[in-house]
Amino acid sequence: QTAHIIVRAVFLALFFAYAVWPSTDAGQLRMKYRAANKWALASLALHAARSYGWPRLSADYARHVATDVCCQRLFGVVVLFIGAGSLPASGAVAYHELAALIAALACRMRGAPKLKLLAAAEGWLVDGEGRVDGKVVARCAYAEVAAGFLLLVELATPRRNPLLLALFWQYLQLRTMLERAAAGGPARGPLHDAWAAVDGRVMRIVGTPACPALLRGAYCKVREVAAKQVAIPEKGEKPKLKCSIM
């Protein structure tokens, strides 16, 4: 646990240095971004090793790793090495790692220092028992969904990166399907809640009389296609290939 605390602290220090670095030199920013991501990978890999042991060919091991959000983020962090990456997506990883770091420190502390730490972090990082707050997971999901839409907007800017966009959306699709599979089929979980919030906001806009019927119909069609992309095959139904990249 001590090694994991150190790795998390180094990652957070490097991420903060990247986020507030005053220079506009793309090379320097890229170097700091990649350094932070490498330590993020190390932290997530340590989480998988400490939680489930070393990788092995086992259905039980595969099931636990596939449904663990931190293990899923290993793929997401690898994707973020492409191009200039995404600050909101990396920020979601950093936010969760910060909460996990505070929770780990609280476990090792006793007495008044522990109470002061919990009092300062309760409600936005940890709960009253010193565990990662459920709101942190929800906020990270919102940040990841927002990062996906930001990458879409960046297609109209010089920062556009179609490969990063495609792979990151596949990562979100995979996460959403695994979340639904872990829930036994119903659309339930932090990512589903984030998608539902985005959908609700858009529907309030396109549902107004001032919105052209063509735009409303186009969004409803996109919504229908998106729902099919994360649908879990029925029992006995042959799974369909959803993405050639994956």
Side-chain angles (χ1 to χ4, degrees), residues 33 40-41 44 65-66 68-82 86 88-94 96 137 140-149 151 162-180 191-192 195 229-230 242-243 245-246:
Y33 177 78
L41 276 177
L44 295 171
V65 169
D68 188 309
V69 175
C70 290
C71 295
Q72 293 169 9
R73 285 202 177 103
L74 272 168
F75 174 67
V77 173
V78 170
V79 168
L80 292 176
F81 274 97
I82 299 172
S86 170
S90 296
V93 178
H96 191 277
V137 180
C140 289
Y142 276 95
E144 287 167 325
V145 170
F149 282 101
L151 289 173
L163 179 58
L164 174 60
L165 172 68
L167 288 175
F168 189 78
W169 275 87
Q170 287 304 306
Y171 161 68
L172 291 178
Q173 179 192 18
L174 177 65
R175 286 271 312 278
T176 305
M177 293 181 70
L178 287 171
E179 190 175 83
R180 179 170 290 195
L191 265 180
H192 281 85
W195 290 120
Q229 289 298 308
V230 295
K242 295 179 180 292
C243 173
I245 297 175
M246 291 297 294

Coordinates of all heavy atoms in Angstrom, one line a residue, residues 33 40-41 44 65-66 68-82 86 88-94 96 137 140-149 151 162-180 191-192 195 229-230 242-243 245-246:
Y33 N 2.5 15.7 -20.1 CA 1.3 14.9 -20.2 C 1.6 13.4 -20.2 O 0.9 12.6 -19.5 CB 0.5 15.4 -21.4 CG -0.8 14.6 -21.7 CD1 -1.9 14.9 -21.0 CD2 -0.8 13.6 -22.7 CE1 -3.1 14.2 -21.3 CE2 -2.0 12.9 -22.9 CZ -3.1 13.2 -22.2 OH -4.3 12.5 -22.5
A40 N -0.1 7.2 -14.1 CA -1.4 6.8 -14.0 C -1.6 5.3 -14.3 O -2.3 4.6 -13.6 CB -2.4 7.7 -14.9
L41 N -0.9 4.9 -15.4 CA -1.0 3.5 -15.8 C -0.4 2.6 -14.7 O -0.9 1.6 -14.3 CB -0.1 3.3 -17.1 CG -0.8 3.5 -18.4 CD1 0.2 3.3 -19.5 CD2 -2.0 2.6 -18.6
L44 N -3.0 2.4 -11.8 CA -4.1 1.5 -12.1 C -3.7 0.0 -12.2 O -4.4 -0.8 -11.8 CB -4.7 1.9 -13.4 CG -5.4 3.3 -13.4 CD1 -5.7 3.8 -14.8 CD2 -6.6 3.4 -12.5
V65 N -11.9 -8.2 -13.2 CA -11.1 -7.2 -13.8 C -12.0 -6.4 -14.8 O -12.0 -5.1 -14.8 CB -9.9 -7.7 -14.5 CG1 -9.2 -6.6 -15.4 CG2 -8.9 -8.2 -13.5
A66 N -12.8 -7.1 -15.6 CA -13.7 -6.4 -16.6 C -14.7 -5.6 -15.9 O -15.2 -4.6 -16.6 CB -14.3 -7.5 -17.5
D68 N -14.4 -4.0 -12.9 CA -13.8 -3.0 -12.1 C -13.5 -1.7 -12.8 O -12.7 -1.8 -13.8 CB -12.5 -3.6 -11.5 CG -11.9 -2.7 -10.4 OD1 -11.7 -1.4 -10.6 OD2 -11.6 -3.2 -9.3
V69 N -14.0 -0.6 -12.4 CA -13.9 0.7 -13.2 C -12.4 1.1 -13.3 O -12.0 1.6 -14.3 CB -14.8 1.8 -12.5 CG1 -14.5 3.1 -13.2 CG2 -16.2 1.4 -12.6
C70 N -11.7 0.9 -12.2 CA -10.3 1.3 -12.3 C -9.5 0.5 -13.3 O -8.6 1.0 -14.0 CB -9.7 1.2 -10.9 SG -10.3 2.4 -9.7
C71 N -9.8 -0.8 -13.3 CA -9.1 -1.7 -14.3 C -9.6 -1.3 -15.7 O -8.8 -1.3 -16.7 CB -9.5 -3.2 -14.1 SG -8.8 -3.8 -12.5
Q72 N -10.8 -0.9 -15.9 CA -11.3 -0.5 -17.2 C -10.6 0.8 -17.7 O -10.3 0.9 -18.9 CB -12.8 -0.2 -17.2 CG -13.7 -1.5 -17.0 CD -15.1 -1.1 -16.7 OE1 -15.5 0.1 -16.8 NE2 -15.9 -2.0 -16.2
R73 N -10.2 1.6 -16.7 CA -9.5 2.9 -17.1 C -8.1 2.6 -17.6 O -7.5 3.5 -18.1 CB -9.5 3.8 -15.9 CG -10.9 4.5 -15.6 CD -10.7 5.7 -14.8 NE -12.0 6.4 -14.6 CZ -12.7 6.3 -13.5 NH1 -12.2 5.7 -12.4 NH2 -13.9 6.9 -13.4
L74 N -7.6 1.4 -17.3 CA -6.3 1.1 -17.9 C -6.3 1.3 -19.4 O -5.4 1.9 -20.0 CB -5.9 -0.3 -17.6 CG -5.1 -0.5 -16.3 CD1 -5.1 -2.0 -15.9 CD2 -3.7 0.0 -16.3
F75 N -7.4 0.8 -20.1 CA -7.5 1.0 -21.5 C -7.7 2.4 -21.9 O -7.1 2.9 -22.9 CB -8.7 0.1 -22.0 CG -9.0 0.3 -23.5 CD1 -8.1 -0.1 -24.5 CD2 -10.2 0.9 -23.9 CE1 -8.4 0.1 -25.8 CE2 -10.4 1.1 -25.2 CZ -9.5 0.7 -26.2
G76 N -8.5 3.1 -21.1 CA -8.7 4.5 -21.4 C -7.5 5.4 -21.3 O -7.3 6.3 -22.1
V77 N -6.6 5.1 -20.3 CA -5.4 5.9 -20.2 C -4.4 5.5 -21.4 O -3.8 6.4 -21.9 CB -4.7 5.5 -18.9 CG1 -3.3 6.2 -18.8 CG2 -5.5 6.0 -17.7
V78 N -4.4 4.3 -21.8 CA -3.6 3.9 -23.0 C -4.1 4.7 -24.2 O -3.3 5.2 -25.0 CB -3.7 2.4 -23.3 CG1 -3.0 2.1 -24.6 CG2 -3.0 1.7 -22.2
V79 N -5.4 4.8 -24.4 CA -6.0 5.6 -25.5 C -5.5 7.1 -25.4 O -5.3 7.7 -26.4 CB -7.5 5.5 -25.5 CG1 -8.1 6.5 -26.4 CG2 -8.0 4.1 -25.8
L80 N -5.4 7.6 -24.2 CA -5.1 9.0 -24.0 C -3.7 9.4 -24.4 O -3.3 10.5 -24.4 CB -5.4 9.5 -22.6 CG -6.9 9.5 -22.2 CD1 -7.1 9.8 -20.8 CD2 -7.7 10.4 -23.1
F81 N -2.8 8.4 -24.7 CA -1.5 8.6 -25.1 C -1.5 9.1 -26.6 O -0.5 9.6 -27.1 CB -0.6 7.4 -25.0 CG 0.0 7.2 -23.7 CD1 -0.6 6.4 -22.8 CD2 1.2 7.9 -23.3 CE1 0.0 6.2 -21.5 CE2 1.8 7.7 -22.1 CZ 1.2 6.8 -21.2
I82 N -2.6 8.9 -27.3 CA -2.7 9.3 -28.7 C -2.8 10.8 -28.9 O -3.7 11.4 -28.2 CB -3.9 8.6 -29.4 CG1 -3.7 7.1 -29.3 CG2 -4.0 9.1 -30.9 CD1 -4.9 6.4 -29.8
S86 N -6.6 14.3 -23.8 CA -7.8 15.1 -23.4 C -7.6 15.4 -21.9 O -7.5 14.5 -21.0 CB -9.1 14.2 -23.6 OG -10.2 14.8 -22.9
P88 N -9.9 16.9 -19.8 CA -11.0 16.4 -18.9 C -11.0 14.9 -18.6 O -11.3 14.5 -17.5 CB -12.3 16.8 -19.8 CG -11.8 17.8 -20.7 CD -10.4 17.5 -21.0
A89 N -10.6 14.1 -19.6 CA -10.6 12.6 -19.4 C -9.4 12.3 -18.4 O -9.6 11.5 -17.5 CB -10.3 11.9 -20.7
S90 N -8.3 12.9 -18.6 CA -7.2 12.7 -17.6 C -7.6 13.3 -16.3 O -7.2 12.7 -15.2 CB -5.9 13.4 -18.1 OG -5.5 12.8 -19.3
G91 N -8.3 14.4 -16.3 CA -8.7 14.9 -15.0 C -9.7 14.0 -14.2 O -9.6 14.0 -13.0
A92 N -10.5 13.2 -14.9 CA -11.4 12.3 -14.3 C -10.5 11.2 -13.6 O -10.9 10.8 -12.4 CB -12.3 11.6 -15.3
V93 N -9.5 10.7 -14.2 CA -8.6 9.8 -13.6 C -7.9 10.4 -12.4 O -7.8 9.7 -11.3 CB -7.5 9.3 -14.6 CG1 -6.6 8.3 -14.0 CG2 -8.2 8.6 -15.8
A94 N -7.4 11.6 -12.5 CA -6.7 12.3 -11.4 C -7.7 12.5 -10.2 O -7.3 12.3 -9.1 CB -6.2 13.6 -11.9
H96 N -10.3 10.7 -9.3 CA -10.6 9.5 -8.6 C -9.3 9.0 -7.9 O -9.4 8.5 -6.7 CB -11.0 8.4 -9.6 CG -11.5 7.1 -8.9 ND1 -10.7 6.1 -8.5 CD2 -12.8 6.7 -8.6 CE1 -11.4 5.2 -7.9 NE2 -12.6 5.5 -8.0
V137 N -17.3 8.9 -8.1 CA -17.4 8.0 -9.2 C -18.4 8.6 -10.2 O -18.2 8.6 -11.5 CB -18.0 6.6 -8.8 CG1 -18.2 5.7 -10.0 CG2 -17.0 6.0 -7.8
C140 N -16.7 11.6 -12.0 CA -15.8 11.1 -13.0 C -16.5 10.7 -14.3 O -16.0 10.9 -15.4 CB -14.9 10.0 -12.4 SG -13.8 10.5 -11.2
A141 N -17.6 10.0 -14.1 CA -18.4 9.6 -15.3 C -18.9 10.8 -16.1 O -18.8 10.7 -17.3 CB -19.6 8.7 -14.8
Y142 N -19.3 11.8 -15.4 CA -19.7 13.0 -16.1 C -18.6 13.6 -16.9 O -18.7 14.1 -18.0 CB -20.3 14.0 -15.2 CG -21.7 13.8 -14.8 CD1 -22.1 13.1 -13.7 CD2 -22.8 14.4 -15.6 CE1 -23.5 12.9 -13.4 CE2 -24.1 14.2 -15.3 CZ -24.4 13.5 -14.2 OH -25.8 13.3 -13.9
A143 N -17.4 13.7 -16.3 CA -16.2 14.2 -16.9 C -15.8 13.4 -18.1 O -15.4 14.0 -19.2 CB -15.0 14.3 -15.9
E144 N -15.9 12.1 -18.1 CA -15.5 11.3 -19.2 C -16.5 11.4 -20.4 O -16.1 11.5 -21.5 CB -15.4 9.8 -18.8 CG -14.2 9.5 -17.9 CD -14.3 8.2 -17.2 OE1 -15.4 7.8 -16.8 OE2 -13.2 7.6 -17.0
V145 N -17.8 11.5 -20.1 CA -18.8 11.8 -21.1 C -18.5 13.2 -21.7 O -18.6 13.3 -23.0 CB -20.2 11.7 -20.6 CG1 -21.2 12.2 -21.6 CG2 -20.5 10.2 -20.2
A146 N -18.3 14.2 -20.9 CA -18.0 15.5 -21.4 C -16.7 15.5 -22.3 O -16.7 16.2 -23.3 CB -17.8 16.5 -20.2
A147 N -15.7 14.7 -21.9 CA -14.5 14.6 -22.7 C -14.8 14.1 -24.1 O -14.2 14.5 -25.1 CB -13.5 13.7 -22.0
G148 N -15.7 13.1 -24.1 CA -16.1 12.5 -25.4 C -16.7 13.6 -26.3 O -16.4 13.7 -27.5
F149 N -17.6 14.4 -25.8 CA -18.3 15.4 -26.6 C -17.3 16.5 -27.0 O -17.4 17.1 -28.0 CB -19.5 16.0 -25.8 CG -20.7 15.1 -25.9 CD1 -21.0 14.3 -24.8 CD2 -21.5 15.1 -27.0 CE1 -22.1 13.5 -24.9 CE2 -22.6 14.2 -27.1 CZ -22.9 13.4 -26.0
L151 N -14.1 16.1 -27.6 CA -13.4 15.6 -28.7 C -14.1 15.7 -30.0 O -13.6 16.0 -31.1 CB -13.0 14.1 -28.5 CG -11.9 13.9 -27.4 CD1 -11.8 12.4 -27.1 CD2 -10.6 14.5 -27.8
P162 N -9.0 12.4 -35.2 CA -10.1 11.4 -35.5 C -9.8 10.1 -34.8 O -10.7 9.4 -34.4 CB -10.1 11.3 -37.0 CG -9.5 12.6 -37.5 CD -8.5 13.0 -36.5
L163 N -8.5 9.7 -34.8 CA -8.2 8.4 -34.2 C -8.5 8.4 -32.7 O -9.0 7.4 -32.2 CB -6.7 8.0 -34.5 CG -6.2 6.7 -33.9 CD1 -7.0 5.5 -34.4 CD2 -4.7 6.5 -34.2
L164 N -8.0 9.4 -32.0 CA -8.3 9.5 -30.6 C -9.8 9.6 -30.3 O -10.3 8.9 -29.4 CB -7.6 10.8 -30.0 CG -8.0 11.1 -28.5 CD1 -7.5 10.0 -27.6 CD2 -7.3 12.4 -28.1
L165 N -10.5 10.3 -31.2 CA -12.0 10.4 -31.0 C -12.6 9.0 -31.2 O -13.4 8.6 -30.3 CB -12.5 11.3 -32.1 CG -14.1 11.4 -32.2 CD1 -14.7 12.0 -31.0 CD2 -14.5 12.1 -33.5
A166 N -12.2 8.3 -32.2 CA -12.8 6.9 -32.4 C -12.5 6.0 -31.3 O -13.4 5.3 -30.8 CB -12.3 6.4 -33.7
L167 N -11.3 5.9 -30.8 CA -10.9 5.0 -29.8 C -11.5 5.4 -28.4 O -11.9 4.5 -27.7 CB -9.4 4.9 -29.7 CG -8.7 4.2 -30.8 CD1 -7.2 4.3 -30.7 CD2 -9.1 2.7 -30.9
F168 N -11.6 6.7 -28.2 CA -12.1 7.1 -26.9 C -13.6 6.8 -26.8 O -14.1 6.4 -25.8 CB -11.9 8.6 -26.6 CG -12.2 9.0 -25.2 CD1 -11.4 8.7 -24.2 CD2 -13.4 9.7 -24.9 CE1 -11.7 9.1 -22.9 CE2 -13.7 10.1 -23.6 CZ -12.9 9.8 -22.6
W169 N -14.3 7.0 -27.9 CA -15.8 6.7 -27.9 C -16.0 5.2 -27.8 O -17.0 4.7 -27.2 CB -16.4 7.3 -29.1 CG -16.9 8.7 -28.9 CD1 -16.1 9.8 -29.1 CD2 -18.1 9.2 -28.4 NE1 -16.8 10.9 -28.7 CE2 -18.1 10.6 -28.3 CE3 -19.3 8.5 -28.0 CZ2 -19.1 11.3 -27.8 CZ3 -20.4 9.3 -27.5 CH2 -20.3 10.7 -27.4
Q170 N -15.0 4.4 -28.4 CA -15.1 3.0 -28.2 C -14.9 2.6 -26.8 O -15.5 1.6 -26.3 CB -14.1 2.3 -29.1 CG -14.5 2.3 -30.6 CD -15.9 1.7 -30.8 OE1 -16.1 0.6 -30.4 NE2 -16.8 2.4 -31.5
Y171 N -14.0 3.3 -26.1 CA -13.8 3.1 -24.7 C -15.0 3.3 -23.9 O -15.4 2.6 -23.0 CB -12.6 3.9 -24.3 CG -12.5 4.2 -22.8 CD1 -12.2 3.1 -21.9 CD2 -12.7 5.5 -22.2 CE1 -12.0 3.4 -20.5 CE2 -12.6 5.7 -20.9 CZ -12.3 4.6 -20.0 OH -12.2 4.9 -18.7
L172 N -15.7 4.5 -24.2 CA -16.9 4.8 -23.5 C -18.0 3.7 -23.8 O -18.8 3.4 -22.9 CB -17.4 6.2 -23.9 CG -16.6 7.4 -23.4 CD1 -17.2 8.7 -24.0 CD2 -16.5 7.4 -21.9
Q173 N -18.1 3.3 -25.0 CA -19.0 2.3 -25.4 C -18.8 1.0 -24.6 O -19.7 0.4 -24.1 CB -19.0 2.0 -26.9 CG -19.9 0.9 -27.4 CD -19.7 0.4 -28.8 OE1 -18.6 0.6 -29.3 NE2 -20.6 -0.3 -29.4
L174 N -17.5 0.6 -24.6 CA -17.1 -0.6 -23.8 C -17.5 -0.5 -22.3 O -18.1 -1.4 -21.7 CB -15.6 -0.9 -24.0 CG -15.1 -2.1 -23.2 CD1 -15.6 -3.4 -23.8 CD2 -13.5 -2.1 -23.4
R175 N -17.2 0.6 -21.7 CA -17.5 0.9 -20.3 C -19.0 0.8 -20.1 O -19.4 0.2 -19.1 CB -16.9 2.3 -19.9 CG -15.4 2.4 -19.7 CD -15.0 2.0 -18.3 NE -15.8 2.7 -17.3 CZ -15.6 4.0 -16.9 NH1 -14.6 4.7 -17.4 NH2 -16.4 4.5 -16.0
T176 N -19.8 1.4 -21.0 CA -21.2 1.4 -20.8 C -21.8 0.0 -20.9 O -22.7 -0.4 -20.1 CB -21.9 2.3 -21.9 OG1 -21.3 3.6 -21.8 CG2 -23.4 2.5 -21.6
M177 N -21.3 -0.8 -21.9 CA -21.8 -2.2 -22.0 C -21.4 -3.0 -20.8 O -22.2 -3.8 -20.3 CB -21.2 -2.8 -23.3 CG -21.8 -2.1 -24.6 SD -21.1 -2.9 -26.1 CE -21.9 -4.5 -26.0
L178 N -20.2 -2.9 -20.3 CA -19.8 -3.6 -19.1 C -20.6 -3.2 -17.9 O -20.9 -4.1 -17.1 CB -18.3 -3.4 -18.9 CG -17.3 -4.1 -19.9 CD1 -15.9 -3.6 -19.6 CD2 -17.4 -5.6 -19.8
E179 N -20.9 -1.9 -17.8 CA -21.7 -1.5 -16.7 C -23.1 -2.1 -16.7 O -23.6 -2.5 -15.7 CB -21.8 0.1 -16.7 CG -22.4 0.7 -15.5 CD -22.3 2.2 -15.6 OE1 -23.2 2.8 -16.2 OE2 -21.4 2.8 -15.0
R180 N -23.6 -2.1 -17.9 CA -24.9 -2.7 -18.1 C -24.9 -4.2 -17.8 O -25.8 -4.8 -17.1 CB -25.5 -2.5 -19.5 CG -26.9 -3.1 -19.7 CD -27.5 -2.6 -21.0 NE -27.8 -1.2 -20.9 CZ -28.7 -0.6 -21.8 NH1 -29.1 -1.3 -22.8 NH2 -29.0 0.7 -21.7
L191 N -22.1 5.8 -15.5 CA -22.0 6.2 -16.9 C -23.4 6.3 -17.5 O -23.7 7.3 -18.2 CB -21.2 5.2 -17.7 CG -19.7 5.6 -17.9 CD1 -19.0 4.5 -18.7 CD2 -19.6 7.0 -18.5
H192 N -24.3 5.4 -17.1 CA -25.7 5.5 -17.6 C -26.4 6.8 -17.1 O -27.1 7.4 -17.8 CB -26.5 4.2 -17.2 CG -26.2 3.1 -18.1 ND1 -25.2 2.2 -17.9 CD2 -26.8 2.6 -19.2 CE1 -25.2 1.2 -18.8 NE2 -26.2 1.5 -19.6
W195 N -25.0 9.6 -19.2 CA -25.7 9.7 -20.5 C -27.1 10.2 -20.4 O -27.6 11.0 -21.2 CB -25.7 8.3 -21.1 CG -24.3 7.8 -21.6 CD1 -23.7 6.7 -21.2 CD2 -23.4 8.4 -22.5 NE1 -22.5 6.5 -21.8 CE2 -22.3 7.6 -22.6 CE3 -23.5 9.6 -23.3 CZ2 -21.2 7.9 -23.5 CZ3 -22.4 9.9 -24.1 CH2 -21.3 9.0 -24.2
Q229 N -26.1 0.5 -29.9 CA -24.7 0.2 -29.8 C -24.2 -0.3 -28.5 O -23.2 -1.0 -28.4 CB -23.9 1.5 -30.2 CG -24.0 1.9 -31.6 CD -23.4 0.8 -32.5 OE1 -22.3 0.4 -32.4 NE2 -24.2 0.4 -33.5
V230 N -25.0 0.0 -27.4 CA -24.6 -0.5 -26.1 C -25.6 -1.6 -25.6 O -25.6 -1.9 -24.4 CB -24.5 0.7 -25.1 CG1 -23.4 1.6 -25.5 CG2 -25.8 1.4 -25.0
K242 N -19.9 -4.8 -33.4 CA -20.3 -3.4 -33.3 C -19.3 -2.4 -33.7 O -19.6 -1.3 -34.1 CB -20.7 -3.1 -31.8 CG -21.9 -3.8 -31.3 CD -22.2 -3.5 -29.9 CE -23.4 -4.2 -29.4 NZ -24.7 -3.8 -30.0
C243 N -18.0 -2.9 -33.8 CA -17.0 -1.9 -34.1 C -15.8 -2.7 -34.7 O -15.2 -3.6 -34.0 CB -16.6 -1.1 -32.9 SG -15.1 -0.1 -33.2
I245 N -12.8 -1.5 -35.1 CA -11.6 -1.1 -34.3 C -11.4 -2.0 -33.2 O -10.3 -2.6 -32.9 CB -11.7 0.4 -33.8 CG1 -11.7 1.3 -35.0 CG2 -10.5 0.7 -33.0 CD1 -11.9 2.8 -34.7
M246 N -12.5 -2.2 -32.4 CA -12.4 -3.1 -31.2 C -12.2 -4.6 -31.6 O -11.5 -5.3 -30.9 CB -13.6 -3.0 -30.3 CG -13.8 -1.6 -29.6 SD -12.4 -1.3 -28.5 CE -12.8 -2.6 -27.3

